[in-house]
Amino acid sequence: MAGASSLVGKLETEVEIKASAEKFHHMIAGRPHHVSKATPGKIQGCELHEGDWGKVGSIVIWNYVHGKST
């Protein structure tokens, strides 16, 4: 049986948001787990793997839909 594989890379997209830059930065930097509430069809959630929420160098694992959204 083959070992588990993982995908590593960069994903970029453009999304129109209805919030100020300050509010968006506050959510992404300090409360990334709220992103799934704001975009339920695209972002399924995230987990803190290492470090602290909102701290530089922390590792966050994102679960998202790529391609067709629900």
Side-chain angles (χ1 to χ4, degrees):
M1 177 176 229
S5 66
S6 63
L7 299 175
V8 177
K10 182 186 275 190
L11 175 68
E12 294 184 28
T13 188
E14 291 186 22
V15 177
E16 183 177 341
I17 60 171
K18 296 179 182 178
S20 66
E22 181 181 350
K23 286 182 180 181
F24 178 74
H25 179 266
H26 179 71
M27 181 173 62
I28 291 292
R31 298 186 171 151
H33 51 287
H34 288 189
V35 175
S36 62
K37 293 178 184 175
T39 60
K42 301 288 184 190
I43 306 294
Q44 297 168 332
C46 67
E47 299 174 28
L48 182 63
H49 180 68
E50 187 176 299
D52 296 313
W53 290 115
K55 300 294 181 185
V56 173
S58 296
I59 298 173
V60 178
I61 299 172
W62 291 90
N63 299 308
Y64 60 90
V65 175
H66 179 67
K68 198 174 193 181
S69 64
T70 55

